[in-house]
Amino acid sequence: MEKINVEKIIRPHLVNVKTYDAMEAPETLAKKSGIPESEIVKLNGNENPYGGSQKALKAVANTPLHIYPDPNQTNMRMALSEYTGMSPENIVVGSGADELIDLIFRLFISEGDKILDCEPTFGMYSFCSRIAGGEINLVQRDDNFDIDINSVVDAIDEVTKVIFVTSPNNPTGNIATESQVSDLLATGLLVVVDEAYYEFSGQTVQHLVSQNENLVVLRTMSKWAGLAGLRVGYGIMHEKLAKYFMDVKPPYNVNIAAEAALIASLKDVNYLLGNVEKIVAERGRMFEFLNDLPKVKAWPSHGNYLMCEFKENEAERVYVELAAKGIFVRNFNSPRLRDCFRIAIGTPSDTDKLITAMKAIV
Ligand SMILES: Cc1ncc(COP(=O)(O)O)c(C=O)c1O
């Protein structure tokens, strides 16, 4: 029998697709660096250093695993309705905000359609576009990494379908103002405002949803609620649009442990927001320290991370030396961020370790 060549039958644009540049797991970092996993300071994933709520852990332990989750997400949507103040019909839950981003492509992007991305930003939108066969127009942010609304609007052409706005922006920390979002909504295209770090900024455009069928606000339980490993996020949108999301999502998309953890976390909001407060305070301490170092600039951030800029060709050296000490941050290979890396805010003890290491290296 003739040998089958899978490249001949796979969708042609996926044969050499550029994949997502994902973070390595702690055990991989430990193996590569030769440093025991327990000694690693993992500041490369914007994860919550305090973990999830004890109530979530207990709920997961007591969840029967042999029953499929509720395809209508009734209890999760109710709990999120109470938390956000929006109606359950305005909410759709996904296996992480990542899944909702993917669903946006299923709903809006056919091959050849275009998205606008405000660069530098989170890599998931471009990744999903590449998979969907979409075109990507990377509209550059201005010198302060704020969105340049005129450039975004000028970039719209007849095949543009979706504009992605991350607020706070990952990795630069900037907020998109309500008036900027309103200007983009007026274009009539789908506008996705990714508020994955909302709890660290306190700023949202969710109130614009009722008047704008073309707005999707994305949130996640990964960051403020410490549930990144369970994969659960949600979107807030007009009920008409939410119905389409519910129709195209995989029926049992959010697993039952994630469902239990989400509901339990929303019964422990004060505790979780207490951790958010600690992280925000630590962000302030780290910001001061980094900006006191010679030839280092930390950009102001509304998220649980700081982007740190070095003089030319220094970032890579500092990154490598930090890694050698077991401290892992997130570096970038785009030309604009070549001299930068992003540091997630950890516990005070993580900050102390980072400070000691940075003083020695820089
Ligand atoms: C801006 C932004 N949106 C979405 C996500 C993904 O969230 P989730 O873990 O819910 O998939 C991240 C994760 O880092 C992010 O930075």
Side-chain angles (χ1 to χ4, degrees):
M1 207 174 93
E2 203 186 322
K3 195 166 161 265
I4 291 170
N5 180 357
V6 78
E7 277 80 25
K8 281 195 181 148
I9 52 176
I10 212 162
R11 292 166 71 200
H13 73 280
L14 297 181
V15 172
N16 287 313
V17 75
K18 182 171 173 286
T19 191
Y20 186 80
D21 181 18
M23 281 159 315
E24 289 176 319
E27 57 269 31
T28 315
L29 295 174
K31 215 170 174 183
K32 278 191 178 168
S33 64
I35 295 168
E37 202 178 317
S38 57
E39 287 172 27
I40 277 179
V41 182
K42 188 174 181 301
L43 303 176
N44 61 356
N46 295 348
E47 289 142 335
N48 190 318
Y50 300 103
S53 137
Q54 285 301 316
K55 289 189 182 169
L57 283 177
K58 271 196 200 129
V60 170
N62 293 324
T63 300
L65 301 181
H66 61 294
I67 305 290
Y68 280 103
D70 170 14
N72 298 321
Q73 308 179 335
T74 308
N75 293 337
M76 286 192 291
R77 293 170 96 191
M78 288 286 287
L80 285 165
S81 163
E82 210 171 292
Y83 175 62
T84 59
M86 302 298 290
S87 143
E89 286 73 39
N90 292 126
I91 294 165
V92 179
V93 192
S95 179
D98 279 352
E99 188 191 26
L100 293 158
I101 296 168
D102 197 46
L103 290 176
I104 289 165
F105 283 84
R106 289 196 195 197
L107 275 170
F108 289 91
I109 300 294
S110 305
E111 257 178 62
D113 286 344
K114 191 183 282 180
I115 66 158
L116 300 183
D117 224 359
C118 301
E119 269 285 296
T121 194
F122 184 46
M124 193 68 191
Y125 323 123
S126 292
F127 167 67
C128 288
S129 191
R130 292 195 291 276
I131 303 295
E135 300 283 314
I136 306 154
N137 189 340
L138 302 178
V139 182
Q140 291 300 312
R141 288 169 172 261
D142 69 14
D143 290 346
N144 293 320
F145 299 110
D146 281 323
I147 294 173
D148 181 345
I149 290 292
N150 292 335
S151 299
V152 176
V153 173
D154 286 349
I156 295 172
D157 61 18
E158 64 283 1
V159 290
T160 309
K161 294 283 163 60
V162 186
I163 305 172
F164 284 93
V165 173
T166 319
S167 181
N169 188 41
N170 174 8
T172 62
N174 307 54
I175 289 284
T177 65
E178 182 172 331
S179 106
Q180 287 177 320
V181 173
S182 296
D183 286 350
L184 296 178
L185 286 168
T187 65
L189 301 180
L190 185 79
V191 178
V192 179
V193 181
D194 185 341
E195 296 182 353
Y197 301 95
Y198 158 66
E199 282 77 7
F200 302 95
S201 76
Q203 298 188 51
T204 179
V205 291
Q206 70 168 35
H207 53 281
L208 300 181
V209 153
S210 60
Q211 298 301 320
N212 294 279
E213 285 182 23
N214 58 332
L215 173 61
V216 174
V217 176
L218 295 178
R219 301 268 184 83
T220 180
M221 300 295 283
S222 295
K223 312 296 179 180
W224 75 285
L227 299 184
L230 279 176
R231 316 302 301 121
V232 60
Y234 59 99
I236 303 172
M237 64 200 87
H238 195 278
E239 55 266 30
K240 242 169 91 180
L241 182 52
K243 172 135 191 355
Y244 284 107
F245 272 78
M246 292 301 284
D247 285 346
V248 303
K249 75 173 178 61
Y252 311 111
N253 61 329
V254 178
N255 74 70
I256 209 146
E259 175 181 333
L262 176 141
I263 291 168
S265 297
L266 295 177
K267 291 183 179 143
D268 209 5
V269 168
N270 287 344
Y271 165 74
L272 292 169
L273 290 181
N275 290 343
V276 167
E277 253 175 53
K278 286 194 229 168
I279 292 166
V280 168
E282 207 51 28
R283 181 180 74 198
R285 183 162 83 102
M286 182 113 92
F287 182 77
E288 298 286 314
F289 161 74
L290 290 169
N291 279 320
D292 280 347
L293 287 175
K295 297 177 188 144
V296 176
K297 175 183 168 87
W299 288 82
S301 168
H302 294 267
N304 65 343
Y305 49 86
L306 286 168
M307 191 175 78
C308 203
E309 187 170 351
F310 296 82
K311 70 177 181 146
E312 227 178 312
N313 300 327
E314 267 291 275
E316 180 63 16
R317 177 184 75 85
V318 180
Y319 172 85
V320 169
E321 290 191 31
L322 281 174
K325 292 175 187 288
I327 300 173
F328 292 90
V329 297
R330 176 71 144 144
N331 60 354
F332 305 100
N333 50 22
S334 74
R336 195 150 174 214
L337 296 185
R338 209 189 39 214
D339 295 320
C340 301
F341 56 64
R342 188 194 67 200
I343 310 172
I345 309 300
T347 60
S349 139
D350 293 336
T351 310
D352 291 343
K353 286 181 193 153
L354 185 97
I355 288 178
T356 309
M358 289 280 269
K359 273 186 183 155
I361 297 167
V362 176

